[in-house]
């Protein structure tokens, strides 16, 4: 893993070398703020917590994270730099992990920049900071899972648009299967067992409990194993392309 | 230094590379020639461990590419066809990144980067974003990246593509200088480049090697090889042609169109590849011909290339 660091540094730098980072940060901050204040009724709820902030994350990530992740491999393939990268003494796991970590770190930076909302709620009332920290952790883990999906779809094509659409679709399904309305419908069509089983794989289900401030190891394991599995699949796709 | 044996690469049903074998030693500059789609780039991609061969064996510096690709990659400097580089970085940043991945750090890294910037004439653009560079500069950045770690093997896919004549000259000088202590493979379809640079040529067509040898040897397969061009002032063309034809070993004498009045041009084709210069000048002296030009043609790589790669195509 000696080449993890240079590749990671390069990748993270690439976001800030292009307008992508600034556009993303701007939209992300506007959207998270806007959603929690207007759609979430931050003030109207009269509660010193950030649930109106975090509840929108699965929906915002649905579009924003595939937008960050779509370039990861598709761009390298399109511009031909993938040939440069894989003829340097960089191993496949190093490359996949470093690129993923850089994008994840970038999203982490975006998430950290939402800190004024924490200050706001702290100024207005007396929130439970444990719940807030736990929610941030949950949000970050969930972002990682979204990103791992985007990275995988990005490795499958050299077209960033295809990569984006594919990952939005997959993420959408994974958000949907955990929503009350949808599980209700599923349990009507099939059985409660099937609906429960499907919702076990949903982002929403696992994010909800972390959002309540409960660090259940099952949720953490879910997100981590999701990321690990998807990244392994990512490596397999890239290895496959080498053999064509 | 490089051993390739029965190399095959299939993309679906299409055989891009079809049982290629060759060996290259240190100090050789091998020109890889072939029409577009002949399999040159695919072969290079397999040598650099970017693509895995369908079957066959490659070793670089004694190491098999399928057993230890990571070590093989450290021995190779590679300039990809597109001379692709991370265009959002500036030249120095990019070369530093390459250096770090190649295992350099600190002072050594700075020295290496500085050295290739000098060597590839990049001083004036060292802090410019690669995105904003012209094709010639990008090509030089690609070249700098390939030689940064001073590898024993250099694989260059169309190294002078898109450069102006001066830059081409500079890059060729660079390659020639490095060729002495390295093993270099370069692909190109510029034939003059091969004649100028390469100590050996492999012509590849439809995935197969159709010629392998020194440029002179390959040139000798040209139909023009050892033909003689002769221009004579004020001579009766038919008469002179008959006399030339009578020299033993001459297969045919053609009268070529002339650009000057009073000057007649002949092309003398020998029976076998035999040097008839002596006999022709002897005849000219005897006949008191006033010669404008008498030259032995070295043959054209171009001819051989076309005849070998066009077969079965028309």
């Amino acid at each position: 893993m000696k080449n993890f660091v240079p590749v990671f540094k390069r990748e993270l730098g690439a976001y800030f070398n292009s307008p992508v980072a600034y556009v993303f940060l701007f939209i992300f901050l506007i959207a998270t703020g806007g959603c929690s204040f207007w759609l979430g009724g931050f003030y109207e709820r009269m509660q010193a917590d950030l649930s109106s902030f975090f509840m929108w994350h699965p929906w915002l990530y649905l579009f924003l994270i595939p937008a960050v992740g779509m370039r990861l491999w598709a761009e390298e393939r399109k511009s031909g730099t993938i040939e440069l990268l894989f003829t340097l003494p960089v191993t496949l796991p190093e490359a996949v992990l470093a690129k993923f970590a850089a994008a994840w770190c970038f999203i982490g930076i975006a998430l950290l920049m939402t800190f004024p909302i924490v200050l706001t709620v702290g100024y207005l009332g007396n929130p439970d900071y444990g719940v807030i920290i736990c929610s941030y952790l949950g949000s970050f883990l969930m972002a990682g899972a979204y990103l791992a999906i985007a990275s995988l779809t990005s490795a499958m094509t050299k077209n960033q648009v295809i990569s984006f659409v594919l990952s939005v679709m997959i993420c959408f399904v994974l958000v949907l299967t955990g929503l009350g309305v949808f599980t209700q419908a599923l349990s009507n069509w099939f059985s409660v067992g099937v609906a429960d089983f499907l919702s076990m794989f949903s982002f929403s289900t696992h994010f909800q409990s972390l959002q309540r401030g409960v660090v259940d190891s099952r949720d953490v394991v879910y997100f981590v194993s999701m990321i690990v599995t998807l990244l392994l699949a990512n490596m397999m796709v890239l290895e496959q392309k080498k053999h064509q | 230094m490089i051993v390739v044996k029965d190399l095959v690469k299939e993309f679906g049903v299409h055989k891009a590379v079809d049982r290629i074998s060759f060996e290259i030693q240190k100090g050789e500059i091998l020109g890889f020639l072939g029409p577009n789609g002949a399999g040159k780039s695919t072969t290079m991609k397999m040598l650099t461990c970017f693509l895995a061969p369908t079957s066959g064996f490659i070793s670089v510096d004694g190491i098999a590419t399928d057993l230890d690709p990571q070590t093989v990659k450290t021995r190779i400097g590679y300039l990809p066809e597109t001379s692709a580089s991370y265009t959002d970085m500036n030249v120095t940043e990019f070369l530093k990144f390459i250096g770090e991945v190649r295992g350099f750090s600190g002072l050594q890294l700075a020295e290496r980067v500085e050295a290739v910037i000098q060597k590839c004439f990049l001083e004036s653009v060292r802090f410019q974003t690669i995105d904003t560079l012209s094709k010639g500069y990008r090509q030089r950045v690609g070249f700098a990246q390939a030689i940064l770690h001073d590898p024993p093997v250099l694989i260059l896919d169309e190294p002078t593509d898109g450069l102006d004549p001066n830059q081409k000259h500079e890059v060729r000088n660079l390659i020639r200088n490095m060729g002495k202590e390295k093993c270099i493979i370069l692909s190109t379809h510029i034939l003059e480049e091969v004649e100028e640079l390469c100590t050996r040529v492999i012509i590849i067509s439809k995935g197969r090697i159709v010629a392998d040898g020194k440029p002179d040897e390959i040139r000798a397969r040209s139909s023009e090889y050892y033909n003689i061009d002769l221009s004579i002032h004020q001579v009766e063309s038919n008469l002179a042609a008959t006399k030339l034809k009578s020299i033993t070993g001459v297969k045919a004498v053609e009268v070529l169109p002339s650009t000057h009045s009073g000057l007649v041009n002949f092309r003398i084709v020998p029976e076998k590849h035999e040097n008839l210069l002596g006999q022709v000048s002897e005849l000219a002296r005897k006949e008191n011909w006033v010669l404008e030009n008498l030259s032995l043609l070295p043959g054209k790589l171009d001819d051989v290339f076309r005849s070998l790669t066009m077969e079965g195509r028309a």
Side-chain angles (χ1 to χ4, degrees), chain A residues 2-3 6-7 9-10 13-14 17 76 79-91 241-244, chain B residues 9 11 45 48-52 70 73-74 78 80 84-86 88-89 93-94 97-98 100-102 145:
Chain A
K2 70 182 171 58
N3 277 332
V7 179
K9 270 190 346 203
R10 198 221 85 73
N17 274 343
E76 295 255 5
S79 67
T81 47
I82 193 158
E83 213 174 303
L84 179 76
L85 186 65
F86 284 138
T87 52
L88 289 170
V90 176
T91 61
K241 296 238 170 187
K242 188 179 167 188
H243 292 271
Q244 281 186 320
Chain B
K9 180 68 185 175
F11 296 113
K45 283 174 189 172
T48 52
C49 310
F50 180 67
L51 285 178
Q70 292 311 316
K73 287 178 194 176
T74 64
Y78 177 45
S85 48
Y86 291 110
D88 56 283
M89 301 173 106
E93 271 174 2
F94 174 69
F97 162 68
I98 298 289
E100 280 174 33
V101 174
R102 292 280 184 199
Q145 160 280 120

Short mmCIF file of all heavy atoms in Angstrom, two decimals, chain A residues 2-3 6-7 9-10 13-14 17 76 79-91 241-244, chain B residues 9 11 45 48-52 70 73-74 78 80 84-86 88-89 93-94 97-98 100-102 145:
data_model
loop_
_atom_site.label_atom_id
_atom_site.label_comp_id
_atom_site.label_asym_id
_atom_site.label_seq_id
_atom_site.Cartn_x
_atom_site.Cartn_y
_atom_site.Cartn_z
N LYS A 2 2.10 1.16 -0.48
CA LYS A 2 2.99 2.32 -0.42
C LYS A 2 2.57 3.42 -1.40
O LYS A 2 2.90 4.57 -1.23
CB LYS A 2 4.45 1.92 -0.64
CG LYS A 2 4.77 1.48 -2.06
CD LYS A 2 6.22 1.06 -2.15
CE LYS A 2 6.55 0.41 -3.48
NZ LYS A 2 6.29 1.21 -4.67
N ASN A 3 1.82 3.01 -2.43
CA ASN A 3 1.40 4.02 -3.40
C ASN A 3 0.00 4.55 -3.16
O ASN A 3 -0.55 5.28 -3.97
CB ASN A 3 1.53 3.47 -4.82
CG ASN A 3 2.94 3.61 -5.32
OD1 ASN A 3 3.66 4.52 -4.90
ND2 ASN A 3 3.37 2.71 -6.16
N PRO A 6 0.36 8.74 -2.58
CA PRO A 6 0.43 9.63 -3.74
C PRO A 6 -0.84 9.64 -4.58
O PRO A 6 -1.27 10.72 -5.03
CB PRO A 6 1.60 9.08 -4.57
CG PRO A 6 2.20 7.98 -3.81
CD PRO A 6 1.49 7.79 -2.53
N VAL A 7 -1.45 8.48 -4.78
CA VAL A 7 -2.67 8.44 -5.61
C VAL A 7 -3.80 9.17 -4.89
O VAL A 7 -4.54 9.95 -5.50
CB VAL A 7 -3.07 6.98 -5.94
CG1 VAL A 7 -4.35 6.96 -6.78
CG2 VAL A 7 -1.96 6.27 -6.71
N LYS A 9 -3.53 11.60 -2.71
CA LYS A 9 -3.26 13.04 -2.77
C LYS A 9 -3.63 13.62 -4.12
O LYS A 9 -4.23 14.67 -4.24
CB LYS A 9 -1.77 13.30 -2.50
CG LYS A 9 -1.47 13.51 -1.05
CD LYS A 9 -0.06 14.02 -0.75
CE LYS A 9 0.98 13.95 -1.81
NZ LYS A 9 2.36 13.94 -1.35
N ARG A 10 -3.24 12.89 -5.16
CA ARG A 10 -3.53 13.36 -6.52
C ARG A 10 -5.04 13.47 -6.75
O ARG A 10 -5.53 14.46 -7.28
CB ARG A 10 -2.94 12.41 -7.55
CG ARG A 10 -2.84 13.04 -8.91
CD ARG A 10 -3.21 12.13 -10.06
NE ARG A 10 -4.63 12.12 -10.33
CZ ARG A 10 -5.31 13.10 -10.90
NH1 ARG A 10 -4.70 14.21 -11.24
NH2 ARG A 10 -6.60 13.01 -11.11
N GLY A 13 -6.60 16.25 -4.79
CA GLY A 13 -6.20 17.49 -5.45
C GLY A 13 -7.00 17.74 -6.71
O GLY A 13 -7.34 18.87 -7.03
N ALA A 14 -7.31 16.66 -7.43
CA ALA A 14 -8.03 16.78 -8.70
C ALA A 14 -9.39 17.44 -8.50
O ALA A 14 -9.84 18.21 -9.34
CB ALA A 14 -8.19 15.41 -9.35
N ASN A 17 -8.63 21.06 -8.06
CA ASN A 17 -8.04 21.68 -9.25
C ASN A 17 -9.09 22.04 -10.29
O ASN A 17 -8.81 22.77 -11.23
CB ASN A 17 -7.06 20.71 -9.91
CG ASN A 17 -5.68 20.80 -9.31
OD1 ASN A 17 -5.37 21.77 -8.63
ND2 ASN A 17 -4.87 19.80 -9.53
N GLU A 76 -10.98 8.42 -16.31
CA GLU A 76 -9.65 7.85 -16.56
C GLU A 76 -9.66 7.04 -17.85
O GLU A 76 -8.71 7.06 -18.62
CB GLU A 76 -9.25 6.92 -15.41
CG GLU A 76 -9.06 7.63 -14.09
CD GLU A 76 -7.60 7.79 -13.70
OE1 GLU A 76 -6.72 7.43 -14.49
OE2 GLU A 76 -7.36 8.27 -12.59
N SER A 79 -10.12 9.50 -20.97
CA SER A 79 -8.97 10.32 -21.32
C SER A 79 -7.71 9.48 -21.55
O SER A 79 -6.69 9.99 -21.98
CB SER A 79 -8.70 11.36 -20.23
OG SER A 79 -8.28 10.71 -19.07
N GLY A 80 -7.80 8.19 -21.22
CA GLY A 80 -6.65 7.32 -21.46
C GLY A 80 -5.66 7.29 -20.31
O GLY A 80 -4.66 6.58 -20.37
N THR A 81 -5.91 8.08 -19.25
CA THR A 81 -4.96 8.10 -18.14
C THR A 81 -4.95 6.78 -17.37
O THR A 81 -4.02 6.51 -16.63
CB THR A 81 -5.27 9.24 -17.15
OG1 THR A 81 -6.67 9.22 -16.88
CG2 THR A 81 -4.88 10.57 -17.72
N ILE A 82 -6.01 5.98 -17.57
CA ILE A 82 -6.05 4.69 -16.89
C ILE A 82 -4.85 3.84 -17.34
O ILE A 82 -4.29 3.07 -16.56
CB ILE A 82 -7.39 3.96 -17.17
CG1 ILE A 82 -7.56 2.78 -16.23
CG2 ILE A 82 -7.53 3.53 -18.63
CD1 ILE A 82 -8.97 2.33 -16.03
N GLU A 83 -4.45 4.06 -18.59
CA GLU A 83 -3.30 3.33 -19.13
C GLU A 83 -2.03 3.77 -18.41
O GLU A 83 -1.16 2.96 -18.11
CB GLU A 83 -3.19 3.63 -20.61
CG GLU A 83 -2.67 2.50 -21.43
CD GLU A 83 -2.73 2.83 -22.90
OE1 GLU A 83 -3.83 3.15 -23.40
OE2 GLU A 83 -1.68 2.78 -23.54
N LEU A 84 -1.95 5.06 -18.15
CA LEU A 84 -0.81 5.58 -17.42
C LEU A 84 -0.79 5.02 -15.99
O LEU A 84 0.20 4.49 -15.53
CB LEU A 84 -0.91 7.11 -17.39
CG LEU A 84 0.20 7.84 -16.65
CD1 LEU A 84 1.46 7.84 -17.49
CD2 LEU A 84 -0.22 9.26 -16.33
N LEU A 85 -1.95 5.11 -15.34
CA LEU A 85 -2.06 4.69 -13.94
C LEU A 85 -1.68 3.22 -13.77
O LEU A 85 -0.92 2.86 -12.87
CB LEU A 85 -3.49 4.93 -13.45
CG LEU A 85 -3.75 4.66 -11.98
CD1 LEU A 85 -2.97 5.62 -11.11
CD2 LEU A 85 -5.24 4.78 -11.67
N PHE A 86 -2.19 2.37 -14.65
CA PHE A 86 -1.96 0.93 -14.47
C PHE A 86 -0.66 0.44 -15.10
O PHE A 86 -0.36 -0.74 -15.03
CB PHE A 86 -3.15 0.13 -14.95
CG PHE A 86 -4.30 0.19 -13.97
CD1 PHE A 86 -5.61 0.35 -14.41
CD2 PHE A 86 -4.07 0.11 -12.61
CE1 PHE A 86 -6.66 0.43 -13.50
CE2 PHE A 86 -5.11 0.19 -11.69
CZ PHE A 86 -6.40 0.35 -12.14
N THR A 87 0.09 1.34 -15.73
CA THR A 87 1.43 0.93 -16.14
C THR A 87 2.47 1.52 -15.20
O THR A 87 3.65 1.29 -15.34
CB THR A 87 1.73 1.36 -17.60
OG1 THR A 87 1.46 2.75 -17.74
CG2 THR A 87 0.88 0.59 -18.58
N LEU A 88 2.00 2.29 -14.22
CA LEU A 88 2.87 2.71 -13.12
C LEU A 88 2.83 1.57 -12.10
O LEU A 88 1.88 0.78 -12.10
CB LEU A 88 2.32 3.99 -12.48
CG LEU A 88 2.43 5.27 -13.28
CD1 LEU A 88 1.64 6.38 -12.62
CD2 LEU A 88 3.88 5.69 -13.44
N PRO A 89 3.84 1.49 -11.23
CA PRO A 89 3.80 0.39 -10.27
C PRO A 89 2.75 0.59 -9.17
O PRO A 89 3.05 0.56 -7.99
CB PRO A 89 5.23 0.36 -9.70
CG PRO A 89 5.82 1.67 -10.02
CD PRO A 89 5.08 2.26 -11.16
N VAL A 90 1.51 0.78 -9.56
CA VAL A 90 0.40 0.92 -8.62
C VAL A 90 -0.43 -0.36 -8.73
O VAL A 90 -0.74 -0.78 -9.84
CB VAL A 90 -0.48 2.13 -9.00
CG1 VAL A 90 -1.69 2.23 -8.09
CG2 VAL A 90 0.32 3.41 -8.95
N THR A 91 -0.77 -0.96 -7.60
CA THR A 91 -1.58 -2.17 -7.69
C THR A 91 -3.05 -1.79 -7.80
O THR A 91 -3.44 -0.67 -7.46
CB THR A 91 -1.39 -3.06 -6.45
OG1 THR A 91 -1.81 -2.33 -5.31
CG2 THR A 91 0.06 -3.49 -6.29
N LYS A 241 -11.60 -6.06 -17.18
CA LYS A 241 -11.35 -5.23 -18.37
C LYS A 241 -9.94 -5.45 -18.89
O LYS A 241 -9.67 -5.29 -20.07
CB LYS A 241 -11.54 -3.75 -18.04
CG LYS A 241 -12.97 -3.44 -17.66
CD LYS A 241 -13.57 -2.39 -18.56
CE LYS A 241 -15.06 -2.31 -18.29
NZ LYS A 241 -15.79 -1.48 -19.17
N LYS A 242 -9.04 -5.78 -17.99
CA LYS A 242 -7.66 -6.03 -18.39
C LYS A 242 -7.59 -7.29 -19.27
O LYS A 242 -6.79 -7.38 -20.18
CB LYS A 242 -6.82 -6.22 -17.12
CG LYS A 242 -5.35 -6.31 -17.35
CD LYS A 242 -4.62 -6.47 -16.03
CE LYS A 242 -3.18 -6.88 -16.30
NZ LYS A 242 -2.47 -7.22 -15.08
N HIS A 243 -8.48 -8.24 -18.95
CA HIS A 243 -8.48 -9.50 -19.73
C HIS A 243 -9.45 -9.44 -20.90
O HIS A 243 -9.36 -10.23 -21.81
CB HIS A 243 -8.85 -10.67 -18.81
CG HIS A 243 -7.77 -10.95 -17.80
ND1 HIS A 243 -6.74 -11.81 -18.05
CD2 HIS A 243 -7.57 -10.47 -16.56
CE1 HIS A 243 -5.93 -11.84 -17.01
NE2 HIS A 243 -6.41 -11.03 -16.08
N GLN A 244 -10.42 -8.55 -20.80
CA GLN A 244 -11.44 -8.36 -21.84
C GLN A 244 -11.97 -9.66 -22.42
O GLN A 244 -11.61 -10.06 -23.53
CB GLN A 244 -10.91 -7.44 -22.94
CG GLN A 244 -10.99 -5.99 -22.49
CD GLN A 244 -10.62 -5.02 -23.58
OE1 GLN A 244 -9.70 -5.27 -24.33
NE2 GLN A 244 -11.31 -3.90 -23.66
N LYS B 9 -3.45 -12.08 -28.58
CA LYS B 9 -4.49 -11.34 -27.89
C LYS B 9 -5.76 -11.34 -28.74
O LYS B 9 -5.74 -10.92 -29.89
CB LYS B 9 -4.05 -9.89 -27.64
CG LYS B 9 -5.08 -9.04 -26.91
CD LYS B 9 -5.27 -9.48 -25.48
CE LYS B 9 -6.38 -8.72 -24.78
NZ LYS B 9 -6.62 -9.24 -23.43
N PHE B 11 -9.75 -10.10 -28.94
CA PHE B 11 -10.87 -9.32 -28.41
C PHE B 11 -12.12 -9.95 -28.98
O PHE B 11 -12.48 -9.68 -30.12
CB PHE B 11 -10.77 -7.85 -28.84
CG PHE B 11 -9.56 -7.14 -28.32
CD1 PHE B 11 -8.56 -6.70 -29.16
CD2 PHE B 11 -9.44 -6.89 -26.95
CE1 PHE B 11 -7.44 -6.05 -28.68
CE2 PHE B 11 -8.32 -6.22 -26.46
CZ PHE B 11 -7.33 -5.81 -27.32
N LYS B 45 0.72 -2.60 -25.10
CA LYS B 45 -0.07 -2.62 -23.88
C LYS B 45 0.13 -3.91 -23.10
O LYS B 45 0.02 -3.94 -21.88
CB LYS B 45 -1.56 -2.43 -24.20
CG LYS B 45 -1.89 -0.99 -24.50
CD LYS B 45 -3.32 -0.83 -24.95
CE LYS B 45 -3.52 0.60 -25.44
NZ LYS B 45 -4.83 0.79 -26.05
N THR B 48 3.56 -3.73 -21.33
CA THR B 48 3.57 -2.85 -20.16
C THR B 48 2.60 -3.34 -19.07
O THR B 48 2.35 -2.62 -18.12
CB THR B 48 3.16 -1.42 -20.54
OG1 THR B 48 1.92 -1.49 -21.26
CG2 THR B 48 4.19 -0.77 -21.41
N CYS B 49 2.06 -4.53 -19.25
CA CYS B 49 1.16 -5.15 -18.26
C CYS B 49 -0.18 -4.42 -18.14
O CYS B 49 -0.86 -4.56 -17.13
CB CYS B 49 1.77 -5.24 -16.87
SG CYS B 49 3.39 -5.93 -16.81
N PHE B 50 -0.54 -3.63 -19.14
CA PHE B 50 -1.86 -2.99 -19.06
C PHE B 50 -2.94 -3.96 -19.50
O PHE B 50 -4.02 -4.01 -18.92
CB PHE B 50 -1.90 -1.72 -19.91
CG PHE B 50 -3.23 -1.03 -19.87
CD1 PHE B 50 -3.66 -0.43 -18.69
CD2 PHE B 50 -4.06 -1.01 -20.97
CE1 PHE B 50 -4.90 0.19 -18.63
CE2 PHE B 50 -5.30 -0.38 -20.92
CZ PHE B 50 -5.72 0.22 -19.74
N LEU B 51 -2.65 -4.74 -20.51
CA LEU B 51 -3.58 -5.78 -20.95
C LEU B 51 -2.95 -7.13 -20.68
O LEU B 51 -1.73 -7.28 -20.77
CB LEU B 51 -3.85 -5.65 -22.45
CG LEU B 51 -4.75 -4.52 -22.94
CD1 LEU B 51 -4.84 -4.57 -24.45
CD2 LEU B 51 -6.14 -4.65 -22.33
N ALA B 52 -3.79 -8.10 -20.36
CA ALA B 52 -3.28 -9.44 -20.17
C ALA B 52 -3.38 -10.19 -21.50
O ALA B 52 -4.40 -10.10 -22.17
CB ALA B 52 -4.09 -10.15 -19.10
N GLN B 70 4.23 -6.07 -11.05
CA GLN B 70 4.64 -4.85 -10.34
C GLN B 70 6.12 -4.56 -10.54
O GLN B 70 6.52 -3.42 -10.74
CB GLN B 70 4.32 -4.95 -8.85
CG GLN B 70 2.84 -4.96 -8.53
CD GLN B 70 2.06 -3.85 -9.22
OE1 GLN B 70 2.48 -2.70 -9.27
NE2 GLN B 70 0.91 -4.20 -9.79
N LYS B 73 6.79 -3.44 -14.11
CA LYS B 73 6.42 -2.03 -14.33
C LYS B 73 7.51 -1.07 -13.86
O LYS B 73 7.64 0.02 -14.42
CB LYS B 73 5.12 -1.72 -13.59
CG LYS B 73 3.88 -2.33 -14.24
CD LYS B 73 2.66 -1.99 -13.41
CE LYS B 73 1.46 -2.81 -13.75
NZ LYS B 73 0.35 -2.48 -12.84
N THR B 74 8.27 -1.47 -12.84
CA THR B 74 9.34 -0.58 -12.38
C THR B 74 10.49 -0.50 -13.39
O THR B 74 11.26 0.44 -13.37
CB THR B 74 9.93 -1.03 -11.02
OG1 THR B 74 10.53 -2.31 -11.21
CG2 THR B 74 8.87 -1.12 -9.94
N TYR B 78 6.94 4.11 -20.03
CA TYR B 78 5.95 3.93 -21.10
C TYR B 78 5.33 5.26 -21.50
O TYR B 78 4.88 6.02 -20.65
CB TYR B 78 4.88 2.96 -20.61
CG TYR B 78 3.73 2.71 -21.57
CD1 TYR B 78 3.95 2.46 -22.92
CD2 TYR B 78 2.41 2.69 -21.11
CE1 TYR B 78 2.90 2.21 -23.79
CE2 TYR B 78 1.36 2.44 -21.98
CZ TYR B 78 1.62 2.21 -23.32
OH TYR B 78 0.56 1.96 -24.17
N PRO B 80 2.21 6.31 -23.48
CA PRO B 80 1.03 5.78 -24.15
C PRO B 80 0.73 6.55 -25.44
O PRO B 80 1.21 7.67 -25.62
CB PRO B 80 -0.10 5.98 -23.15
CG PRO B 80 0.53 6.36 -21.87
CD PRO B 80 1.87 6.92 -22.19
N ALA B 84 -1.34 10.42 -22.66
CA ALA B 84 -2.29 10.84 -21.64
C ALA B 84 -1.60 11.25 -20.35
O ALA B 84 -0.64 10.61 -19.91
CB ALA B 84 -3.26 9.71 -21.35
N SER B 85 -2.06 12.35 -19.78
CA SER B 85 -1.58 12.75 -18.47
C SER B 85 -2.73 13.44 -17.75
O SER B 85 -3.73 13.78 -18.37
CB SER B 85 -0.40 13.70 -18.62
OG SER B 85 -0.71 14.69 -19.56
N TYR B 86 -2.56 13.61 -16.44
CA TYR B 86 -3.64 14.24 -15.68
C TYR B 86 -3.64 15.73 -15.97
O TYR B 86 -2.83 16.49 -15.45
CB TYR B 86 -3.47 13.95 -14.19
CG TYR B 86 -3.71 12.50 -13.88
CD1 TYR B 86 -2.68 11.66 -13.51
CD2 TYR B 86 -4.99 11.97 -14.00
CE1 TYR B 86 -2.91 10.32 -13.24
CE2 TYR B 86 -5.23 10.63 -13.74
CZ TYR B 86 -4.19 9.82 -13.36
OH TYR B 86 -4.43 8.50 -13.11
N ASP B 88 -5.43 18.20 -15.26
CA ASP B 88 -5.77 19.24 -14.29
C ASP B 88 -4.56 19.66 -13.47
O ASP B 88 -4.62 20.64 -12.72
CB ASP B 88 -6.89 18.76 -13.37
CG ASP B 88 -6.52 17.47 -12.67
OD1 ASP B 88 -6.59 16.41 -13.32
OD2 ASP B 88 -6.12 17.50 -11.49
N MET B 89 -3.44 18.92 -13.59
CA MET B 89 -2.26 19.25 -12.79
C MET B 89 -1.31 20.12 -13.61
O MET B 89 -1.37 20.11 -14.83
CB MET B 89 -1.50 17.96 -12.41
CG MET B 89 -2.33 16.98 -11.63
SD MET B 89 -1.44 15.43 -11.40
CE MET B 89 -1.01 15.56 -9.68
N GLU B 93 3.83 19.45 -10.79
CA GLU B 93 2.99 18.61 -9.91
C GLU B 93 2.85 17.20 -10.48
O GLU B 93 3.00 16.21 -9.76
CB GLU B 93 1.56 19.18 -9.85
CG GLU B 93 1.29 20.20 -8.79
CD GLU B 93 -0.13 20.77 -8.96
OE1 GLU B 93 -0.90 20.35 -9.85
OE2 GLU B 93 -0.46 21.65 -8.18
N PHE B 94 2.56 17.16 -11.78
CA PHE B 94 2.34 15.87 -12.43
C PHE B 94 3.61 15.01 -12.36
O PHE B 94 3.56 13.84 -11.99
CB PHE B 94 1.91 16.10 -13.88
CG PHE B 94 1.79 14.83 -14.67
CD1 PHE B 94 0.79 13.90 -14.39
CD2 PHE B 94 2.68 14.55 -15.69
CE1 PHE B 94 0.69 12.73 -15.12
CE2 PHE B 94 2.58 13.37 -16.42
CZ PHE B 94 1.59 12.47 -16.14
N PHE B 97 4.16 13.72 -8.93
CA PHE B 97 3.27 12.59 -8.64
C PHE B 97 3.86 11.30 -9.22
O PHE B 97 3.95 10.28 -8.53
CB PHE B 97 1.88 12.86 -9.22
CG PHE B 97 1.02 11.64 -9.36
CD1 PHE B 97 0.55 10.97 -8.23
CD2 PHE B 97 0.69 11.14 -10.62
CE1 PHE B 97 -0.24 9.83 -8.36
CE2 PHE B 97 -0.09 9.99 -10.75
CZ PHE B 97 -0.56 9.34 -9.63
N ILE B 98 4.29 11.36 -10.47
CA ILE B 98 4.88 10.18 -11.10
C ILE B 98 6.10 9.72 -10.30
O ILE B 98 6.27 8.54 -10.02
CB ILE B 98 5.29 10.49 -12.57
CG1 ILE B 98 4.08 10.87 -13.40
CG2 ILE B 98 6.04 9.32 -13.20
CD1 ILE B 98 3.12 9.77 -13.71
N GLU B 100 6.79 10.19 -7.14
CA GLU B 100 6.39 9.59 -5.85
C GLU B 100 5.93 8.15 -6.06
O GLU B 100 6.30 7.25 -5.31
CB GLU B 100 5.25 10.39 -5.21
CG GLU B 100 5.73 11.65 -4.50
CD GLU B 100 4.56 12.49 -4.01
OE1 GLU B 100 3.51 11.92 -3.65
OE2 GLU B 100 4.69 13.72 -4.02
N VAL B 101 5.11 7.95 -7.07
CA VAL B 101 4.64 6.59 -7.34
C VAL B 101 5.81 5.68 -7.73
O VAL B 101 5.83 4.50 -7.43
CB VAL B 101 3.57 6.60 -8.46
CG1 VAL B 101 3.18 5.19 -8.85
CG2 VAL B 101 2.34 7.36 -8.01
N ARG B 102 6.82 6.27 -8.36
CA ARG B 102 8.00 5.50 -8.74
C ARG B 102 8.95 5.30 -7.56
O ARG B 102 10.05 4.79 -7.72
CB ARG B 102 8.75 6.22 -9.87
CG ARG B 102 7.99 6.25 -11.19
CD ARG B 102 8.14 4.96 -11.92
NE ARG B 102 7.52 4.96 -13.23
CZ ARG B 102 7.19 3.85 -13.89
NH1 ARG B 102 7.43 2.68 -13.35
NH2 ARG B 102 6.64 3.92 -15.06
N GLN B 145 7.72 11.93 -18.23
CA GLN B 145 7.12 10.99 -17.29
C GLN B 145 7.71 9.59 -17.49
O GLN B 145 7.96 8.86 -16.53
CB GLN B 145 5.61 11.09 -17.49
CG GLN B 145 4.72 9.98 -17.03
CD GLN B 145 4.67 8.82 -17.97
OE1 GLN B 145 5.02 7.72 -17.57
NE2 GLN B 145 4.29 9.02 -19.22
#
